[in-house]
């Protein structure tokens, strides 16, 4: 998901409440899955206080079982329940044979106790609003909307907001491990899910069996640096896409250079600021929506033809496909309702991180972002503005994670990953005391179960047999 989440860790005492949770009461929930609910403390410092709900599902192993594999798709705000439901795609047969595939919606997300902030109509307006303000009037409008977002979260989810940090979610995950009857954790986390896994390992290094952290984030750098790196990553992915586009007769760009195509895209997005494109359902495709729609296909190389068609149509004034792609990214359904991934993502970001304290800093950063990433930089640099007004104080600060004493942890990085740049994976593998880097020379966001037999073989050998590749392995 865009702006994958505040990947900033802070100190904090590890450990779970002294009493282990009861075993999960599973029920059939269709398609060979079982579902359950686990109660967690709202505040892990008060284990006997108010409780919240964590929803869990699992697909039992098809063969000789090793244990449970917990999975998280990232976000923050992504549904682990939905991710586990895609088990036939997200993990290979060798893994499904030996592990129960276990998904869970982290606190604040989806079917667990969720964050709620805005009505569907107000969320429509917020997402469509000019998020790259060019003058004082546009900046004031974006500031007002960002304040409204933060105030809506406080009004609807006030008690929850201070307890949504990734450290809270990692402690939940350890209680879930215990409820599953697992002595140690086996885990697959992608994108933001790599941060959740790394925080878990830092808090509970002795409880790690095997962690795959694919599309890794670097916890040691500041939030605004993360935004800038990600914007550069999307621009770099777009440059890689253009080589494929130029080989097709349908490619819409006038010039056949990557820099020229990037400039044409930036100009197209700029024009939608003053003159939104038309959608097919009466909605206007504003600059913000067009930007989201253009970057979404960059997550997956198989979606590059969609990007070509989207841009070609947009150059003729039709923003329908850009709108569809943007809706997919932000969790907007065809009936106009939303999943809560956008609200949950912002809520986790804001308590995981320290942010600049005023909007003027964002304006300065957007100028810098535009210079280094002309197509996507301004939007990404402004994207965290609601955190300026967040009613819950940050619970975490930037810093490397060591996970001292943990067994080998496999960190996977893709060289042209748009959302989590390869440099982050390289950094995390070096920061973790037992980090082992697996490099995939390729395109798209994350690598495992994405088409590389080499990557799949290494990951599955590690998960099933604890076979650790040599450091520096490349696929």
């Amino acid at each position: 998901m865009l702006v994958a989440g505040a990947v900033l860790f802070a100190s904090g005492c590890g450990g779970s409440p002294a009493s282990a949770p009861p075993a999960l009461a599973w029920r059939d929930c269709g398609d060979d899955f079982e579902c359950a609910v686990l109660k967690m403390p709202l505040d892990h410092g008060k284990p006997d206080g108010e409780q919240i709900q964590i929803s869990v599902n699992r697909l039992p192993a098809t063969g000789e079982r090793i244990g449970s594999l917990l999975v998280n798709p990232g976000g923050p705000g992504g549904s682990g329940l939905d991710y586990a439901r895609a088990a036939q795609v997200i993990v290979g047969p060798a893994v499904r044979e030996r592990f129960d595939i276990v998904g869970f919606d982290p606190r604040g997300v989806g079917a667990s106790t969720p964050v709620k902030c805005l009505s569907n109509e107000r969320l429509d307006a917020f997402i469509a609003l000019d998020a790259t303000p060019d003058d004082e009037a546009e900046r004031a409008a974006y500031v007002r909307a960002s304040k409204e977002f933060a105030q809506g979260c406080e009004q609807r989810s006030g008690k929850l907001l201070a307890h949504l940090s990734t450290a809270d979610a990692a402690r939940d995950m350890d209680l879930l491990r215990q409820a599953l009857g697992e002595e140690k954790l086996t885990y697959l986390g992608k994108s933001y899910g790599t941060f959740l896994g790394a925080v878990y390992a830092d808090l509970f290094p002795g409880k790690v069996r095997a962690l795959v952290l694919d599309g890794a984030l670097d916890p040691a750098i500041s939030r605004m640096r993360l935004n800038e790196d990600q914007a550069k990553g999307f621009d770099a992915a777009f440059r890689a896409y253009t080589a494929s586009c130029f080989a097709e007769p349908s490619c819409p760009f006038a010039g056949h250079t990557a820099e020229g195509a990037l400039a044409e895209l930036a100009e197209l997005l700029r024009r939608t600021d003053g003159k939104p494109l038309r959608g097919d359902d009466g909605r206007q495709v504003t600059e913000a929506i067009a930007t989201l729609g253009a970057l979404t296909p960059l997550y997956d190389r198989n979606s590059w033809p969609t990007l070509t068609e989207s841009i070609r149509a947009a150059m003729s004034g039709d923003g329908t496909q850009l709108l569809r792609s943007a809706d997919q990214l932000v969790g907007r359904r065809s009936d106009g309702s939303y999943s809560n991934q956008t609200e949950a993502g912002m809520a986790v970001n804001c308590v995981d991180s320290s942010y600049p304290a005023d909007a003027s800093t964002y304006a300065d950063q957007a100028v810098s972002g535009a210079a280094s990433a002309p197509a996507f930089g301004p939007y990404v640099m402004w994207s965290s503005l609601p955190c300026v007004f967040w009613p819950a104080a940050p619970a975490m600060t930037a810093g490397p994670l060591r996970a001292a004493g943990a067994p080998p942890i496999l960190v996977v990085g893709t060289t042209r990953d748009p959302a989590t740049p390869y440099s982050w994976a390289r950094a995390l593998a070096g920061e973790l005391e037992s980090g082992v880097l697996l490099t995939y020379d390729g395109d798209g966001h994350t690598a495992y179960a994405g088409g590389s037999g080499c990557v799949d073989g290494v990951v599955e050998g590690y998960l099933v047999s604890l076979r650790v590749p040599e450091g520096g392995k490349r696929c």
Side-chain angles (χ1 to χ4, degrees):
M1 170 175 187
L2 176 64
V3 188
V7 295
L8 305 175
F9 178 71
S11 58
C13 56
S16 301
S19 57
L24 291 160
W26 296 104
R27 59 177 177 81
D28 181 271
C29 53
D31 298 324
D32 298 323
F33 274 82
E34 300 171 320
C35 294
V37 171
L38 186 62
K39 295 294 184 180
M40 300 284 184
L42 171 66
D43 182 347
H44 281 286
K46 300 176 181 177
D48 297 323
E50 184 174 350
Q51 303 288 294
I52 60 173
Q53 172 178 301
I54 301 296
S55 292
V56 187
N57 65 2
R58 73 175 176 186
L59 179 67
T62 61
E64 186 178 351
R65 181 181 179 276
I66 293 173
S68 300
L69 172 66
L70 273 65
V71 297
N72 181 280
S79 171
L81 298 180
D82 292 346
Y83 195 53
R85 287 277 180 178
Q88 302 293 329
V89 176
I90 67 169
V91 295
V95 174
R96 296 196 301 275
E97 179 184 358
R98 305 303 301 277
F99 291 94
D100 300 340
I101 308 303
V102 177
F104 65 100
D105 281 357
R107 57 174 57 210
V109 176
S112 296
T113 302
V115 171
K116 298 178 181 177
C117 300
L118 300 177
S119 67
N120 292 327
E121 293 75 16
R122 293 309 304 157
L123 199 51
D124 266 347
F126 178 79
I127 290 170
L129 188 66
D130 188 346
T132 57
D134 303 311
D135 55 39
E136 285 302 320
E138 290 181 350
R139 185 185 302 182
Y142 194 38
V143 166
R144 285 194 300 272
S146 297
K147 286 181 179 178
E148 179 189 359
F149 191 106
Q151 290 166 354
C153 293
E154 182 176 28
Q155 291 165 4
R156 296 185 176 200
S157 304
K159 287 192 297 184
L160 189 59
L161 296 184
H163 303 288
L164 289 176
S165 75
T166 298
D168 287 311
R171 294 184 175 99
D172 292 344
M173 195 156 64
D174 194 60
L175 289 175
L176 175 56
R177 173 193 63 78
Q178 295 176 56
L180 290 166
E182 303 294 346
E183 181 181 352
K184 295 189 176 183
L185 179 71
T186 306
Y187 173 80
L188 169 64
K190 295 198 170 187
S191 195
Y192 161 82
T194 66
F195 180 53
L196 176 58
V199 170
Y200 179 91
D202 202 60
L203 290 172
F204 306 101
K207 296 300 182 182
V208 171
R209 176 187 174 271
L211 305 184
V212 176
L213 309 181
D214 184 5
L217 286 78
D218 180 3
I221 57 179
S222 73
R223 178 60 201 183
M224 299 309 283
R225 164 71 183 281
L226 286 166
N227 283 1
E228 184 171 0
D229 283 357
Q230 190 173 66
K232 291 177 182 177
F234 280 110
D235 273 37
F238 183 84
R239 291 185 182 94
Y241 146 78
T242 60
S244 173
C245 181
F246 295 154
E248 300 296 329
S250 60
C251 188
F253 301 106
H256 275 205
T257 67
E259 293 305 317
L262 191 65
E264 288 183 61
L265 174 64
E267 175 59 20
L268 172 65
L269 297 176
R270 188 197 64 76
R271 289 200 304 269
T272 62
D273 187 15
K275 186 179 179 181
L277 304 172
R278 63 181 183 274
D280 65 350
D281 60 358
R283 294 162 64 202
Q284 290 190 325
V285 181
T286 64
E287 182 182 14
I289 292 174
T291 301
L292 292 171
L295 63 82
T296 300
L298 294 173
Y299 278 83
D300 181 359
R301 184 186 178 99
N302 293 325
S303 296
W304 285 1
T306 298
L307 180 56
T308 297
E309 293 306 309
S310 299
I311 294 174
R312 187 171 66 168
M315 287 179 171
S316 299
D318 182 0
T320 299
Q321 186 56 56
L322 289 174
L323 182 64
R324 294 288 166 266
S325 293
D327 285 351
Q328 174 188 348
L329 190 65
V330 300
R332 189 184 193 273
R333 306 181 184 98
S334 59
D335 65 359
S337 66
Y338 283 84
S339 75
N340 87 318
Q341 70 179 44
T342 296
E343 294 158 310
M346 188 70 73
V348 173
N349 289 352
C350 293
V351 296
D352 266 2
S353 310
S354 297
Y355 287 86
D358 60 81
S360 63
T361 303
Y362 286 81
D364 294 340
Q365 294 285 341
V367 172
S368 172
S372 58
F376 299 111
Y379 180 90
V380 174
M381 297 309 294
W382 275 103
S383 63
S384 304
L385 187 62
C387 295
V388 172
F389 312 105
W390 209 249
M396 309 178 82
T397 56
L401 297 172
R402 301 299 185 197
I409 296 171
L410 185 61
V411 179
V412 186
T414 299
T415 55
R416 293 178 296 281
D417 188 317
T420 52
Y422 175 67
S423 60
W424 293 355
R426 194 171 55 231
L428 178 62
E431 292 157 12
L432 292 168
E433 187 177 87
S434 59
V436 178
L437 178 64
L438 170 62
T439 297
Y440 173 52
D441 185 0
D443 300 285
H445 183 39
T446 74
Y448 174 56
S452 169
C454 173
V455 170
D456 293 356
V458 172
V459 169
E460 291 171 7
Y462 169 73
L463 287 174
V464 173
S465 304
L466 299 180
R467 189 167 61 244
V468 180
E470 293 183 8
K473 169 72 175 177
R474 294 183 72 89
C475 289

